[in-house]
Structure formats: structure tokens, C-alpha cells
Amino acid sequence: MTRGRFAPSPSGRMHLGNIYSAVLSYLSAKSRGGEWIIRIEDLDRQRCKRVYADQVIDDLTWLGLVSDDEIIYQSDRDGIYQRELDRLKSCGLTYECFCKRADIIAAARAPHESDGKVVYNGRCRTLTDAERETKRREREPSTRIIVDDKEVCFTDGHYGEQRCNLSRDCGDFIVQRADGNFAYQIAVVVDDAMQGVSEIVRGRDLLDSTHQQIYLYEKLGYPTPQFSHLPLLMSGETGHRLAKRDQGTDMGYLREKYTPEGLIGHVLCLAGVIDRDEEIKRTDAVSVFNWDSISKNDIVVRY
Ligand code: GLU
């Protein structure tokens, strides 16, 4: 059975872009007769607050989107991430990194070679035990995973075939930060695998991260789910991806302007699934939903 999910980071009130991902992930799973769950991704203890998480759940409940399983909080799960990280460590796949971000940027290849992304050059991979010992006295290390020099390939359910050589385009990446917090990349993989998620629907901004995640799925021995990415909602005013700071799109405003059926209809109309911006019942939305009518180009929203 399909199991989809929505995994918001509660760093503020949700906006139209979050709701769009929530609704479409829900409809995709339900249209296949599947389940859909909510997971709160509050690893970043500075930015994420419990009150925002409560509000996220309240806003989703208002829309009629209810999790088919207990809602888990990543901030409760350090022990599980540690256990899985230890498995990677015991296979010799990780190493301590003492580099500062500024040094990594300075040492990176010319940005155009990696599409603007900073590629880590693996400097700390070859430190001797004695060098590591000395560096540990100066600063706490982060932990990186060693990547292979071969292509990671997958077929996105919406954007088709994707390939990336992690060694060339990303470099060894961080799985645990120097402050002890686990990186999004490992937490999301461990949770999706342990929660039996088989379909991941989310914004196209995370398409690039998917290669790192698939690499972790392989190294941890989990089955890889189906990934389907969505075009982004772009603000007509700023030309950027819709963000929490864009006025007039946060859930406080949207709940005043729309009924739950009206907001689901609005999202489906923006996505191109229905032609008219009008109320639609959740159950009817499940029946009309189909991926073929969703555009591949990003969608401009004007308010
Ligand atoms: N927590 C992430 C976010 O809110 C989404 C993670 C995911 O869907 O994989 O951006």
C-alpha cells in the first residue's frame, strides 16, 4: 500500500506553498488508496518551536488533512539517528571534519563547475589520528559521509530521470553537525524508512537533495521510496519562491479568506488539476487528482 507523508519544519505559520505540498502529497497518496502521515521536522531547535508545530497540525486539521499514524517529532529521536549513524560509522563510511565553512567556500572549485553549490574537497578525510587528536582540542568536529565517485540515478515520478555524481557535484556531506544536531539528510531518510513511507511528494527545491538521500538509503540498506517533486509556487511580486514573509499567503489570512473546500480548490486550480478556482470536497479532490495535469514549470502566484 502507498504511504505518503508531509514533513513540515515548524519555524512559523505555514503559507500557501506549504499547504500546496501538504494537499498534493495527501491527494497523491489517497488517490492510490494509500495512507498519509504527518511528521514534524523540528531538528533545528533554534528556529522550530512547539507552538508552531501545534499550529501546523491545527491548520492541517482545519483543512481535513489528518495523519493516518501517530505524529512523530524529530526532536525526540536523537537516539534513533545516533544508532543509524553508528552503523555507517562501523562500516568506515564516515569521518570527522574540522573545516570551517569559510575555508570550505574558499577552497571550493569555481562555482560554475558545480552549479553554484559548494563542493567539499574531502580535506579531513585523510587526517592522521594524531592530527585529528590535535584538532579535537581546538574545535568540535562535524561528521561527514564518504561518497562514491559514481552516478546516483533515479526516476522522479514527475520530472523523470535524474542523475548526479555526488563526488563531483556535492562531495562528502555532513550527517551530524559540530553542535551534535543531526543533519536533515540523515534524519529524513531514517524516518521515512522507519515509518514505511513509500511515496515522497514535495517541492522541487529538494530534487537535488534526493541524490544524497538515495545514497543514504543504499548505505543503510533501506528500500528506496518513489520520489515525485512538485513545481514551486513563485511570488509574482518578488519573483522568488513563496516564503513565510510574503504577505497575504499565510494560513491566518487564508483561513479568513477561504473555506477548507475553497482552499483545496484554490490549490488544485493553481496546480492545474481543475480549471475553476472553486470549492471542492476533499473526497472529490481525491477522485480528480492526477499527476499528468500538473505542470513541470514553476507556478506564479499573484495577490
Ligand atoms: N522539512 C522539510 C521542509 O519543511 C521538508 C522535508 C521533505 O519533505 O523531505 O522544507
PDB file of all heavy atoms in Angstrom, residues 5-10 18 39-42 74 184 188 192 200-203 205-206 213 227 241 244, ligand 1:
ATOM      1  N   ARG A   5       3.562  11.151   2.818  1.00  0.00           N
ATOM      2  CA  ARG A   5       3.781  11.924   4.052  1.00  0.00           C
ATOM      3  C   ARG A   5       3.943  13.412   3.732  1.00  0.00           C
ATOM      4  O   ARG A   5       4.236  13.805   2.591  1.00  0.00           O
ATOM      5  CB  ARG A   5       4.978  11.390   4.821  1.00  0.00           C
ATOM      6  CG  ARG A   5       6.283  11.228   4.031  1.00  0.00           C
ATOM      7  CD  ARG A   5       6.908  12.509   3.707  1.00  0.00           C
ATOM      8  NE  ARG A   5       8.337  12.453   3.546  1.00  0.00           N
ATOM      9  CZ  ARG A   5       9.057  13.496   3.179  1.00  0.00           C
ATOM     10  NH1 ARG A   5       8.479  14.642   2.872  1.00  0.00           N
ATOM     11  NH2 ARG A   5      10.358  13.409   3.062  1.00  0.00           N
ATOM     12  N   PHE A   6       3.755  14.202   4.779  1.00  0.00           N
ATOM     13  CA  PHE A   6       4.058  15.631   4.714  1.00  0.00           C
ATOM     14  C   PHE A   6       4.940  15.890   5.927  1.00  0.00           C
ATOM     15  O   PHE A   6       4.605  15.466   7.036  1.00  0.00           O
ATOM     16  CB  PHE A   6       2.760  16.443   4.784  1.00  0.00           C
ATOM     17  CG  PHE A   6       2.974  17.929   4.819  1.00  0.00           C
ATOM     18  CD1 PHE A   6       3.716  18.566   3.835  1.00  0.00           C
ATOM     19  CD2 PHE A   6       2.418  18.701   5.834  1.00  0.00           C
ATOM     20  CE1 PHE A   6       3.911  19.949   3.870  1.00  0.00           C
ATOM     21  CE2 PHE A   6       2.599  20.084   5.874  1.00  0.00           C
ATOM     22  CZ  PHE A   6       3.351  20.703   4.893  1.00  0.00           C
ATOM     23  N   ALA A   7       6.078  16.549   5.695  1.00  0.00           N
ATOM     24  CA  ALA A   7       7.078  16.664   6.759  1.00  0.00           C
ATOM     25  C   ALA A   7       7.490  18.120   6.974  1.00  0.00           C
ATOM     26  O   ALA A   7       8.590  18.520   6.615  1.00  0.00           O
ATOM     27  CB  ALA A   7       8.287  15.802   6.400  1.00  0.00           C
ATOM     28  N   PRO A   8       6.608  18.923   7.534  1.00  0.00           N
ATOM     29  CA  PRO A   8       6.911  20.349   7.672  1.00  0.00           C
ATOM     30  C   PRO A   8       7.908  20.652   8.786  1.00  0.00           C
ATOM     31  O   PRO A   8       7.994  19.921   9.773  1.00  0.00           O
ATOM     32  CB  PRO A   8       5.544  20.943   8.032  1.00  0.00           C
ATOM     33  CG  PRO A   8       4.822  19.842   8.722  1.00  0.00           C
ATOM     34  CD  PRO A   8       5.281  18.573   8.067  1.00  0.00           C
ATOM     35  N   SER A   9       8.654  21.740   8.598  1.00  0.00           N
ATOM     36  CA  SER A   9       9.532  22.260   9.655  1.00  0.00           C
ATOM     37  C   SER A   9       8.782  23.410  10.321  1.00  0.00           C
ATOM     38  O   SER A   9       8.495  24.410   9.668  1.00  0.00           O
ATOM     39  CB  SER A   9      10.833  22.782   9.051  1.00  0.00           C
ATOM     40  OG  SER A   9      11.489  21.740   8.395  1.00  0.00           O
ATOM     41  N   PRO A  10       8.459  23.274  11.597  1.00  0.00           N
ATOM     42  CA  PRO A  10       7.614  24.302  12.238  1.00  0.00           C
ATOM     43  C   PRO A  10       8.420  25.522  12.686  1.00  0.00           C
ATOM     44  O   PRO A  10       8.669  25.723  13.861  1.00  0.00           O
ATOM     45  CB  PRO A  10       7.030  23.546  13.436  1.00  0.00           C
ATOM     46  CG  PRO A  10       8.085  22.547  13.779  1.00  0.00           C
ATOM     47  CD  PRO A  10       8.765  22.165  12.508  1.00  0.00           C
ATOM     48  N   ASN A  18       3.442  25.771   1.573  1.00  0.00           N
ATOM     49  CA  ASN A  18       3.431  24.575   2.435  1.00  0.00           C
ATOM     50  C   ASN A  18       2.122  23.815   2.251  1.00  0.00           C
ATOM     51  O   ASN A  18       2.110  22.575   2.182  1.00  0.00           O
ATOM     52  CB  ASN A  18       3.563  24.950   3.923  1.00  0.00           C
ATOM     53  CG  ASN A  18       4.759  25.831   4.211  1.00  0.00           C
ATOM     54  OD1 ASN A  18       4.614  26.934   4.703  1.00  0.00           O
ATOM     55  ND2 ASN A  18       5.944  25.357   3.894  1.00  0.00           N
ATOM     56  N   ARG A  39       4.767  14.305   9.740  1.00  0.00           N
ATOM     57  CA  ARG A  39       5.926  14.214  10.636  1.00  0.00           C
ATOM     58  C   ARG A  39       6.466  15.625  10.861  1.00  0.00           C
ATOM     59  O   ARG A  39       6.625  16.379   9.904  1.00  0.00           O
ATOM     60  CB  ARG A  39       7.009  13.336  10.018  1.00  0.00           C
ATOM     61  CG  ARG A  39       8.240  13.239  10.907  1.00  0.00           C
ATOM     62  CD  ARG A  39       9.286  12.299  10.357  1.00  0.00           C
ATOM     63  NE  ARG A  39       9.855  12.755   9.120  1.00  0.00           N
ATOM     64  CZ  ARG A  39       9.758  12.118   7.951  1.00  0.00           C
ATOM     65  NH1 ARG A  39       9.122  10.977   7.844  1.00  0.00           N
ATOM     66  NH2 ARG A  39      10.314  12.622   6.877  1.00  0.00           N
ATOM     67  N   ILE A  40       6.728  15.959  12.086  1.00  0.00           N
ATOM     68  CA  ILE A  40       7.218  17.305  12.401  1.00  0.00           C
ATOM     69  C   ILE A  40       8.748  17.303  12.384  1.00  0.00           C
ATOM     70  O   ILE A  40       9.388  16.621  13.181  1.00  0.00           O
ATOM     71  CB  ILE A  40       6.690  17.772  13.780  1.00  0.00           C
ATOM     72  CG1 ILE A  40       5.149  17.775  13.797  1.00  0.00           C
ATOM     73  CG2 ILE A  40       7.256  19.140  14.136  1.00  0.00           C
ATOM     74  CD1 ILE A  40       4.482  18.781  12.881  1.00  0.00           C
ATOM     75  N   GLU A  41       9.321  18.073  11.463  1.00  0.00           N
ATOM     76  CA  GLU A  41      10.781  18.095  11.295  1.00  0.00           C
ATOM     77  C   GLU A  41      11.360  19.293  12.046  1.00  0.00           C
ATOM     78  O   GLU A  41      11.613  20.356  11.482  1.00  0.00           O
ATOM     79  CB  GLU A  41      11.130  18.115   9.812  1.00  0.00           C
ATOM     80  CG  GLU A  41      10.595  16.858   9.128  1.00  0.00           C
ATOM     81  CD  GLU A  41      11.411  16.371   7.950  1.00  0.00           C
ATOM     82  OE1 GLU A  41      11.920  17.205   7.188  1.00  0.00           O
ATOM     83  OE2 GLU A  41      11.519  15.140   7.787  1.00  0.00           O
ATOM     84  N   ASP A  42      11.534  19.086  13.342  1.00  0.00           N
ATOM     85  CA  ASP A  42      11.979  20.177  14.220  1.00  0.00           C
ATOM     86  C   ASP A  42      13.396  19.935  14.753  1.00  0.00           C
ATOM     87  O   ASP A  42      13.667  20.143  15.931  1.00  0.00           O
ATOM     88  CB  ASP A  42      10.984  20.343  15.384  1.00  0.00           C
ATOM     89  CG  ASP A  42      10.767  19.041  16.150  1.00  0.00           C
ATOM     90  OD1 ASP A  42      11.275  17.999  15.718  1.00  0.00           O
ATOM     91  OD2 ASP A  42      10.079  19.081  17.192  1.00  0.00           O
ATOM     92  N   GLN A  74      10.877  14.988  15.191  1.00  0.00           N
ATOM     93  CA  GLN A  74      12.293  14.615  15.032  1.00  0.00           C
ATOM     94  C   GLN A  74      13.110  14.967  16.269  1.00  0.00           C
ATOM     95  O   GLN A  74      14.097  14.309  16.564  1.00  0.00           O
ATOM     96  CB  GLN A  74      12.878  15.292  13.789  1.00  0.00           C
ATOM     97  CG  GLN A  74      12.331  14.675  12.503  1.00  0.00           C
ATOM     98  CD  GLN A  74      13.082  15.118  11.263  1.00  0.00           C
ATOM     99  OE1 GLN A  74      13.529  16.269  11.196  1.00  0.00           O
ATOM    100  NE2 GLN A  74      13.191  14.251  10.278  1.00  0.00           N
ATOM    101  N   TYR A 184      19.532  17.234   8.356  1.00  0.00           N
ATOM    102  CA  TYR A 184      18.258  16.903   7.699  1.00  0.00           C
ATOM    103  C   TYR A 184      18.394  15.641   6.849  1.00  0.00           C
ATOM    104  O   TYR A 184      17.540  14.754   6.891  1.00  0.00           O
ATOM    105  CB  TYR A 184      17.819  18.110   6.861  1.00  0.00           C
ATOM    106  CG  TYR A 184      16.903  17.773   5.715  1.00  0.00           C
ATOM    107  CD1 TYR A 184      15.599  17.328   5.949  1.00  0.00           C
ATOM    108  CD2 TYR A 184      17.338  17.885   4.392  1.00  0.00           C
ATOM    109  CE1 TYR A 184      14.756  17.004   4.897  1.00  0.00           C
ATOM    110  CE2 TYR A 184      16.503  17.563   3.339  1.00  0.00           C
ATOM    111  CZ  TYR A 184      15.220  17.121   3.584  1.00  0.00           C
ATOM    112  OH  TYR A 184      14.398  16.788   2.546  1.00  0.00           O
ATOM    113  N   VAL A 188      15.807  12.627   7.698  1.00  0.00           N
ATOM    114  CA  VAL A 188      14.651  12.429   6.807  1.00  0.00           C
ATOM    115  C   VAL A 188      14.647  11.004   6.243  1.00  0.00           C
ATOM    116  O   VAL A 188      13.601  10.366   6.120  1.00  0.00           O
ATOM    117  CB  VAL A 188      14.640  13.519   5.695  1.00  0.00           C
ATOM    118  CG1 VAL A 188      15.686  13.254   4.625  1.00  0.00           C
ATOM    119  CG2 VAL A 188      13.274  13.659   5.062  1.00  0.00           C
ATOM    120  N   ASP A 192      11.712   8.377   7.131  1.00  0.00           N
ATOM    121  CA  ASP A 192      10.866   7.873   6.044  1.00  0.00           C
ATOM    122  C   ASP A 192      10.966   6.345   5.970  1.00  0.00           C
ATOM    123  O   ASP A 192       9.961   5.658   5.789  1.00  0.00           O
ATOM    124  CB  ASP A 192      11.230   8.534   4.708  1.00  0.00           C
ATOM    125  CG  ASP A 192      10.602   9.930   4.578  1.00  0.00           C
ATOM    126  OD1 ASP A 192       9.510  10.145   5.145  1.00  0.00           O
ATOM    127  OD2 ASP A 192      11.201  10.795   3.925  1.00  0.00           O
ATOM    128  N   ILE A 200       7.261   9.917  -1.707  1.00  0.00           N
ATOM    129  CA  ILE A 200       7.621  11.226  -1.175  1.00  0.00           C
ATOM    130  C   ILE A 200       7.266  12.299  -2.197  1.00  0.00           C
ATOM    131  O   ILE A 200       7.799  12.308  -3.314  1.00  0.00           O
ATOM    132  CB  ILE A 200       9.125  11.265  -0.820  1.00  0.00           C
ATOM    133  CG1 ILE A 200       9.371  10.261   0.328  1.00  0.00           C
ATOM    134  CG2 ILE A 200       9.571  12.680  -0.460  1.00  0.00           C
ATOM    135  CD1 ILE A 200      10.791  10.118   0.774  1.00  0.00           C
ATOM    136  N   VAL A 201       6.319  13.150  -1.818  1.00  0.00           N
ATOM    137  CA  VAL A 201       5.878  14.243  -2.685  1.00  0.00           C
ATOM    138  C   VAL A 201       6.244  15.540  -1.983  1.00  0.00           C
ATOM    139  O   VAL A 201       5.854  15.760  -0.831  1.00  0.00           O
ATOM    140  CB  VAL A 201       4.349  14.177  -2.921  1.00  0.00           C
ATOM    141  CG1 VAL A 201       3.863  15.391  -3.706  1.00  0.00           C
ATOM    142  CG2 VAL A 201       3.977  12.887  -3.644  1.00  0.00           C
ATOM    143  N   ARG A 202       7.020  16.390  -2.644  1.00  0.00           N
ATOM    144  CA  ARG A 202       7.466  17.638  -2.011  1.00  0.00           C
ATOM    145  C   ARG A 202       7.959  18.575  -3.094  1.00  0.00           C
ATOM    146  O   ARG A 202       8.052  18.202  -4.274  1.00  0.00           O
ATOM    147  CB  ARG A 202       8.585  17.327  -1.009  1.00  0.00           C
ATOM    148  CG  ARG A 202       9.759  16.657  -1.663  1.00  0.00           C
ATOM    149  CD  ARG A 202      10.817  16.189  -0.674  1.00  0.00           C
ATOM    150  NE  ARG A 202      11.917  15.559  -1.383  1.00  0.00           N
ATOM    151  CZ  ARG A 202      12.893  14.889  -0.808  1.00  0.00           C
ATOM    152  NH1 ARG A 202      12.935  14.754   0.505  1.00  0.00           N
ATOM    153  NH2 ARG A 202      13.862  14.364  -1.522  1.00  0.00           N
ATOM    154  N   GLY A 203       8.323  19.779  -2.708  1.00  0.00           N
ATOM    155  CA  GLY A 203       8.722  20.804  -3.685  1.00  0.00           C
ATOM    156  C   GLY A 203      10.016  20.438  -4.413  1.00  0.00           C
ATOM    157  O   GLY A 203      10.890  19.757  -3.872  1.00  0.00           O
ATOM    158  N   ASP A 205      12.462  22.147  -4.920  1.00  0.00           N
ATOM    159  CA  ASP A 205      13.681  22.664  -4.286  1.00  0.00           C
ATOM    160  C   ASP A 205      14.465  21.536  -3.612  1.00  0.00           C
ATOM    161  O   ASP A 205      15.657  21.699  -3.353  1.00  0.00           O
ATOM    162  CB  ASP A 205      13.348  23.767  -3.262  1.00  0.00           C
ATOM    163  CG  ASP A 205      12.302  23.333  -2.259  1.00  0.00           C
ATOM    164  OD1 ASP A 205      11.330  22.671  -2.660  1.00  0.00           O
ATOM    165  OD2 ASP A 205      12.463  23.639  -1.062  1.00  0.00           O
ATOM    166  N   LEU A 206      13.812  20.407  -3.354  1.00  0.00           N
ATOM    167  CA  LEU A 206      14.512  19.299  -2.696  1.00  0.00           C
ATOM    168  C   LEU A 206      14.938  18.200  -3.678  1.00  0.00           C
ATOM    169  O   LEU A 206      15.466  17.171  -3.272  1.00  0.00           O
ATOM    170  CB  LEU A 206      13.643  18.715  -1.570  1.00  0.00           C
ATOM    171  CG  LEU A 206      13.508  19.690  -0.386  1.00  0.00           C
ATOM    172  CD1 LEU A 206      12.407  19.252   0.562  1.00  0.00           C
ATOM    173  CD2 LEU A 206      14.830  19.813   0.367  1.00  0.00           C
ATOM    174  N   GLN A 213      20.050  11.599  -0.418  1.00  0.00           N
ATOM    175  CA  GLN A 213      19.152  10.752   0.368  1.00  0.00           C
ATOM    176  C   GLN A 213      19.147   9.321  -0.177  1.00  0.00           C
ATOM    177  O   GLN A 213      19.207   8.355   0.593  1.00  0.00           O
ATOM    178  CB  GLN A 213      17.757  11.377   0.411  1.00  0.00           C
ATOM    179  CG  GLN A 213      17.776  12.655   1.235  1.00  0.00           C
ATOM    180  CD  GLN A 213      16.554  13.525   1.093  1.00  0.00           C
ATOM    181  OE1 GLN A 213      15.499  13.082   0.658  1.00  0.00           O
ATOM    182  NE2 GLN A 213      16.689  14.787   1.443  1.00  0.00           N
ATOM    183  N   PHE A 227      10.057   8.959  -5.443  1.00  0.00           N
ATOM    184  CA  PHE A 227      10.082  10.413  -5.228  1.00  0.00           C
ATOM    185  C   PHE A 227       9.340  11.092  -6.369  1.00  0.00           C
ATOM    186  O   PHE A 227       9.548  10.749  -7.531  1.00  0.00           O
ATOM    187  CB  PHE A 227      11.526  10.924  -5.228  1.00  0.00           C
ATOM    188  CG  PHE A 227      12.314  10.510  -4.018  1.00  0.00           C
ATOM    189  CD1 PHE A 227      13.037   9.323  -4.004  1.00  0.00           C
ATOM    190  CD2 PHE A 227      12.336  11.308  -2.887  1.00  0.00           C
ATOM    191  CE1 PHE A 227      13.766   8.933  -2.876  1.00  0.00           C
ATOM    192  CE2 PHE A 227      13.061  10.935  -1.761  1.00  0.00           C
ATOM    193  CZ  PHE A 227      13.778   9.748  -1.753  1.00  0.00           C
ATOM    194  N   ARG A 241      10.662  32.131  -4.770  1.00  0.00           N
ATOM    195  CA  ARG A 241       9.786  31.099  -4.218  1.00  0.00           C
ATOM    196  C   ARG A 241       8.977  31.692  -3.069  1.00  0.00           C
ATOM    197  O   ARG A 241       9.513  32.474  -2.278  1.00  0.00           O
ATOM    198  CB  ARG A 241      10.654  29.948  -3.700  1.00  0.00           C
ATOM    199  CG  ARG A 241       9.879  28.775  -3.201  1.00  0.00           C
ATOM    200  CD  ARG A 241      10.746  27.556  -3.315  1.00  0.00           C
ATOM    201  NE  ARG A 241      11.851  27.595  -2.382  1.00  0.00           N
ATOM    202  CZ  ARG A 241      11.833  27.024  -1.178  1.00  0.00           C
ATOM    203  NH1 ARG A 241      10.762  26.390  -0.756  1.00  0.00           N
ATOM    204  NH2 ARG A 241      12.884  27.070  -0.412  1.00  0.00           N
ATOM    205  N   LYS A 244       7.612  32.455   3.884  1.00  0.00           N
ATOM    206  CA  LYS A 244       6.777  32.833   5.025  1.00  0.00           C
ATOM    207  C   LYS A 244       6.590  34.344   5.101  1.00  0.00           C
ATOM    208  O   LYS A 244       5.590  34.834   5.580  1.00  0.00           O
ATOM    209  CB  LYS A 244       7.400  32.311   6.317  1.00  0.00           C
ATOM    210  CG  LYS A 244       7.404  30.780   6.342  1.00  0.00           C
ATOM    211  CD  LYS A 244       7.510  30.182   7.726  1.00  0.00           C
ATOM    212  CE  LYS A 244       7.091  28.729   7.710  1.00  0.00           C
ATOM    213  NZ  LYS A 244       8.145  27.761   7.597  1.00  0.00           N
TER     214      LYS A 244
HETATM  215  N1  GLU B   1      11.103  19.583   6.449  1.00  0.00           N
HETATM  216  C1  GLU B   1      11.379  19.987   5.109  1.00  0.00           C
HETATM  217  C2  GLU B   1      10.800  21.368   4.851  1.00  0.00           C
HETATM  218  O1  GLU B   1       9.861  21.768   5.514  1.00  0.00           O
HETATM  219  C3  GLU B   1      10.771  19.065   4.074  1.00  0.00           C
HETATM  220  C4  GLU B   1      11.443  17.786   4.039  1.00  0.00           C
HETATM  221  C5  GLU B   1      10.941  16.822   2.987  1.00  0.00           C
HETATM  222  O2  GLU B   1       9.802  16.927   2.545  1.00  0.00           O
HETATM  223  O3  GLU B   1      11.719  15.927   2.667  1.00  0.00           O
HETATM  224  O4  GLU B   1      11.299  22.026   3.970  1.00  0.00           O
END
